Amino acid sequence: MRRKIFLSLSILLALFALGMLVSFLYTKTFFVVTFALTSLIAVLIARYLINAIIYPVEELLKATRAVASGNFNYKMSYQDKTEFGEIAGSFNDMIAVLRDSNESIKNQQQQIVDNEWKFRILSEFAHDWEYWITEKGEILFISPSCERITGYTRDEFIKDPDIRNRIVYLQDKDLWESHVADFKPPRHEEEIEFRIVTKSGEIKWLSHVCAPIYENDVFLGRRVSNRDITDRKRLEEQLMHSQRLESIGTLAGGIAHDFNNILTAITGYGHILKMKAKEDNPSKAYIEQILASAERAADLTQSLLVFSRKQTSSPEPVKLKGIIENVKRVLQRLVGENIELRTEISGEELIAMADSDQIEQVLVNLCTNARDAMPEGGVLAIRMKRVSGDKMHKAIGREQEALSIEHGKGYAEISIIDTGTGMDEKTRERIFDPFFTTKEVGKGTGLGLSMVYGIIKQHYGHISVESEEGKGTIFRIYLPLTEIAVSKDIRAAEEAKAITGGAETILLAEDEETVRKLTRVVLEEYGYTVIEAGDGQEAISKFMENKDRIDLFLSDIIMPRMNGREAYERIKKIKPKLKVLFASGYPSDFTHKNEILVAGLDFIAKPVSPDNLLKKVREVLDKS
Ligand SMILES: Nc1ncnc2c1ncn2[C@@H]1O[C@H](COP(=O)(O)OP(=O)(O)OP(=O)(O)O)[C@@H](O)[C@H]1O
Ligand SMILES: [Mg+2]
């Protein structure tokens, strides 16, 4: 630039000089002076122009180029009092302002990037399935957890947002449709629970919370959060199911208890009638019939007591493998030849605190059901292995909390698997209910699985069923294991003793009048003298009146005013060597029964057949 100006000035000067030279030819001296002066002035003007205009403009140009290339730290060094000096100052101020705002833009950009990253981290890891849907049904955002919960990917939902409506379980469609009908409702959150069918066909429970999104009163759609609550629902259902069974059990147990007393009277008097009737008495056959029916009724009552866990049980450390081996032969005979019975048992010995008779009964009942489900034959497998306690505690949940089980030992899992008809959902839900049966009248009582349930619960165990129509059934039972050593097989065969009576005096305490009267009749028939009492307190006063002649205290456990155990404790203080025999038809509280057994005292379960009562009374009286 400077060079161009300099060149133009020089040409100007040269032209001027040429003009001067032409004039010079006429007036020499004048022109010489003028020429020199003019040349000097021209050079001075040129220099001034260069310093005052060209240089600052060039500086400005450099500065703008520097700023344009992003260098906001550039500072113009040109400074004087001229307009250019002012421009340079303003330019420097402008660059400073630009620099500051550039920095703040950069910070804001970084913040946006950071926020975006945080948001992504949150949404990518969101455990619940979150989405934002517009009024037009467009999905603006969806968290990847949609795939974990529904099986459908993010892209699938974005391409086809209607999936969210289609996956709703048929029975919950009405609820869902009324919920989504008003897309733009008030601004509060709404919550519903419904089921979906996932891509793989699994049914899951969702807790769905949604709220409208507004910005400056403009409606932008709805924000939705779906939580998978399938496990919680399952536990709730299990709990409800077991609570229902618990209340049925209480009811059944109560009825069974009263029935026991009634049956004790029927069978007792029936036996007396039978004993008294002469061989040729035509009524004898009817009496037999009454007794047989009463016995069947007693069996039913007994089953109900098993279900309601009110029956007596004798748990001891037992080898489960041994129980299965023992019962295997019976089971093979039971299931018949067209069913193949397989037992697959892990090598290790598993020991549980169990009543082996009851566990055998569980296996028999389950295998009988399996047989009935395979009329055309099939395979029945019994498997046993150890499973960790943790897994089971999750399954058993709160039921076990109140029980003092040694959790560390784990559980024996016994599975009974059949290839039979299987069950639909409705049947599956009711199988443990007493008297629920799908079998023809007379073919099943519907008490088999109720008993299994009661026994397993009494053993602090757990039972589950997996079954599908046409695909067979798996029952799994879990029994808590113990490390207590197995005692020797103490169950010696009971000697069949002949019934003998005696001449002793017996103090009989029983609150149920029918039972008391019957017991008295039976005992008196066999020579004993009986003193009756209707409760514990009466027993004490009767004892005080006759203490020297009483040889045996035969007492019910649960009685009004004072129970049998308490009465005995008081009587014992006066006559420590008095023999005692407790009887109960309602051994609901094991504590009582166990206390009695632990104290080395004798116990007999009702309904007691006269034979057994007489045998037991004699046995106790003859004890030294
Ligand atoms: N393994 C199985 N396969 C298919 N259905 C079964 C199976 N086990 C039980 N069930 C169903 O459960 C119902 C109840 O069984 P439960 O053992 O309680 O009574 P039941 O077998 O009908 O009669 P009971 O056992 O008193 O003779 C059965 O009627 C049957 O419908
Ligand atoms: Mg059955």
Side-chain angles (χ1 to χ4, degrees):
M1 172 80 171
R2 209 192 303 191
R3 220 175 291 144
K4 279 184 194 162
I5 291 175
F6 205 78
L7 198 70
S8 2
L9 280 172
S10 305
I11 293 168
L12 205 80
L13 200 63
L15 285 173
F16 179 72
L18 194 68
M20 287 292 159
L21 192 63
V22 176
S23 312
F24 170 71
L25 294 173
Y26 303 97
T27 51
K28 240 180 195 176
T29 321
F30 169 75
F31 278 106
V32 167
V33 172
T34 314
F35 175 74
L37 222 62
T38 319
S39 303
L40 186 67
I41 290 165
V43 168
L44 285 175
I45 289 171
R47 270 197 73 119
Y48 170 76
L49 280 177
I50 287 165
N51 283 338
I53 301 170
I54 310 290
Y55 178 64
V57 168
E58 277 198 340
E59 267 294 292
L60 202 58
L61 197 67
K62 242 201 251 171
T64 51
R65 280 187 185 142
V67 173
S69 67
N71 180 3
F72 292 99
N73 290 321
Y74 192 88
K75 202 165 179 197
M76 282 183 73
S77 53
Y78 186 84
Q79 270 170 10
D80 62 13
K81 301 252 182 237
T82 65
E83 280 85 350
F84 273 116
E86 260 177 56
I87 290 174
S90 309
F91 193 87
N92 281 347
D93 292 347
M94 190 184 76
I95 295 175
V97 171
L98 269 180
R99 185 172 53 235
D100 289 351
S101 61
N102 183 51
E103 233 148 65
S104 114
I105 289 171
K106 266 193 188 160
N107 285 344
Q108 280 171 10
Q109 272 176 344
Q110 189 56 45
Q111 230 168 15
I112 291 171
V113 169
D114 286 353
N115 284 348
E116 219 275 327
W117 177 76
K118 281 181 200 157
F119 167 74
R120 201 150 23 88
I121 294 278
L122 272 180
S123 68
E124 301 284 315
F125 286 90
H127 192 68
D128 297 340
W129 159 33
E130 318 266 353
Y131 62 85
W132 171 356
I133 186 158
T134 66
E135 205 167 2
K136 286 182 195 153
E138 199 185 342
I139 289 182
L140 295 186
F141 163 78
I142 184 161
S143 64
S145 40
C146 62
E147 192 173 350
R148 180 181 56 80
I149 294 176
T150 68
Y152 294 95
T153 62
R154 249 205 289 211
D155 286 347
E156 283 175 296
F157 270 106
I158 290 168
K159 270 189 209 132
D160 181 9
D162 193 48
I163 294 177
R164 73 185 195 118
N165 298 317
R166 288 203 306 272
I167 58 176
V168 177
Y169 189 59
L170 196 64
Q171 285 169 11
D172 295 338
K173 280 253 193 260
D174 288 349
L175 171 75
W176 172 251
E177 270 155 23
S178 69
H179 171 73
V180 291
D182 189 8
F183 194 77
K184 212 172 156 184
R187 297 178 179 221
H188 59 257
E189 282 194 345
E190 285 183 72
E191 191 174 349
I192 56 165
E193 287 180 0
F194 63 93
R195 282 160 292 180
I196 57 161
V197 182
T198 66
K199 200 174 189 179
S200 62
E202 198 187 336
I203 295 170
K204 282 188 178 171
W205 271 100
L206 293 189
S207 161
H208 167 100
V209 185
C210 65
I213 307 169
Y214 285 95
E215 198 185 70
N216 301 329
D217 281 340
V218 179
F219 179 61
L220 299 177
R222 292 186 78 80
R223 180 182 63 77
V224 178
S225 175
N226 290 306
R227 175 162 296 182
D228 181 357
I229 53 161
T230 315
D231 286 348
R232 196 194 82 199
K233 281 278 175 187
R234 210 166 279 155
L235 277 178
E236 274 173 15
E237 270 164 28
Q238 260 179 22
L239 196 66
M240 262 165 59
H241 192 228
S242 54
Q243 277 170 348
R244 192 170 63 86
L245 287 174
E246 201 65 37
S247 47
I248 299 176
T250 312
L251 179 75
I255 296 171
H257 166 232
D258 287 350
F259 260 81
N260 249 355
N261 285 331
I262 298 166
L263 287 170
T264 310
I266 295 175
T267 45
Y269 286 116
H271 270 106
I272 292 168
L273 262 185
K274 197 176 121 187
M275 280 189 278
K276 293 209 155 181
K278 304 231 162 64
E279 270 313 307
D280 54 350
N281 189 330
S283 301
K284 209 155 182 183
Y286 302 135
I287 300 170
E288 300 271 3
Q289 202 59 46
I290 292 171
L291 285 174
S293 300
E295 210 167 302
R296 274 207 300 281
D299 281 350
L300 273 184
T301 326
Q302 200 52 39
S303 306
L304 277 179
L305 285 172
V306 173
F307 166 64
S308 52
R309 286 171 262 166
K310 307 259 187 287
Q311 89 289 21
T312 46
S313 158
S314 317
E316 55 182 354
V318 288
K319 294 178 178 172
L320 294 171
K321 211 161 130 185
I323 294 184
I324 296 176
E325 290 299 336
N326 277 351
V327 81
K328 205 170 138 185
R329 261 173 286 145
V330 181
L331 294 179
Q332 183 63 71
R333 221 173 310 139
L334 185 90
V335 296
E337 275 168 9
N338 62 346
I339 292 174
E340 185 193 338
L341 178 70
R342 292 184 195 156
T343 46
E344 297 157 25
I345 298 170
S346 74
E348 98 185 282
E349 191 54 86
L350 300 176
I351 299 168
M353 276 300 275
D355 180 320
S356 45
D357 288 346
Q358 289 187 332
I359 300 299
E360 279 181 16
Q361 192 178 3
V362 164
L363 293 171
V364 168
N365 287 7
L366 291 174
C367 292
T368 310
N369 284 347
R371 175 202 65 195
D372 295 344
M374 296 186 285
E376 312 286 307
V379 178
L380 169 59
I382 303 177
R383 290 190 190 142
M384 183 170 73
K385 63 174 187 194
R386 178 197 284 265
V387 291
S388 82
D390 292 347
K391 187 182 151 195
M392 276 319 301
H393 292 121
K394 271 190 202 134
I396 296 174
R398 288 177 43 196
E399 280 177 54
Q400 288 283 332
E401 274 172 25
L403 305 169
S404 52
I405 300 292
E406 290 174 83
H407 289 168
K409 311 285 179 293
Y411 285 74
E413 179 191 83
I414 306 175
S415 315
I416 287 91
I417 306 155
D418 69 57
T419 55
T421 53
M423 288 172 255
D424 58 17
E425 201 185 331
K426 275 199 168 150
T427 307
R428 223 166 42 222
E429 276 169 11
R430 299 196 50 203
I431 49 172
F432 298 117
D433 291 2
F435 303 110
F436 172 79
T437 178
T438 56
K439 293 170 189 169
E440 293 166 39
V441 180
K443 286 261 168 83
T445 59
L447 282 169
L449 285 178
S450 308
M451 280 197 277
V452 168
Y453 183 86
I455 292 172
I456 298 303
K457 289 289 156 189
Q458 195 168 15
H459 283 77
Y460 306 133
H462 182 69
I463 179 160
S464 72
V465 61
E466 196 184 311
S467 182
E468 233 178 282
E469 259 179 307
K471 292 196 179 162
T473 302
I474 306 177
F475 277 96
R476 292 191 181 89
I477 55 183
Y478 298 91
L479 293 170
L481 295 173
T482 177
E483 275 175 8
I484 302 172
V486 178
S487 52
K488 269 188 237 148
D489 195 5
I490 46 164
R491 236 182 301 148
E494 287 223 353
E495 282 174 43
K497 289 181 200 152
I499 303 165
T500 43
E504 287 92 343
T505 300
I506 297 169
L507 172 59
L508 168 66
E510 165 67 64
D511 59 321
E512 287 280 338
E513 204 187 334
T514 43
V515 179
R516 193 171 68 236
K517 291 257 173 311
L518 166 75
T519 314
R520 178 185 191 143
V521 171
V522 172
L523 292 170
E524 284 179 349
E525 277 292 313
Y526 278 81
Y528 297 106
T529 306
V530 177
I531 299 168
E532 279 182 56
D535 58 55
Q537 276 191 356
E538 201 186 339
I540 293 173
S541 55
K542 289 280 170 72
F543 172 77
M544 297 309 282
E545 289 163 20
N546 305 282
K547 59 176 176 262
D548 295 332
R549 57 192 193 104
I550 292 172
D551 303 293
L552 173 75
F553 179 39
L554 171 57
S555 177
D556 191 9
I557 297 177
I558 300 151
M559 289 184 294
R561 301 218 292 165
M562 186 188 285
N563 72 39
R565 184 75 211 272
E566 258 180 79
Y568 172 65
E569 290 304 323
R570 300 215 189 161
I571 291 171
K572 202 171 83 172
K573 284 194 184 127
I574 299 158
K575 194 170 182 177
K577 290 208 166 151
L578 181 73
K579 307 245 162 82
V580 66
L581 172 60
F582 289 104
S584 181
Y586 199 24
S588 56
D589 45 3
F590 279 91
T591 28
H592 269 123
K593 193 211 155 190
N594 284 345
E595 268 176 29
I596 285 162
L597 293 178
V598 168
L601 303 171
D602 287 285
F603 174 86
I604 189 162
K606 289 195 285 183
V608 194
S609 73
D611 287 10
N612 282 338
L613 175 71
L614 291 166
K615 270 189 213 163
K616 192 76 189 176
V617 164
R618 198 61 260 158
E619 183 194 310
V620 175
L621 281 168
D622 291 343
K623 263 191 188 169
S624 50

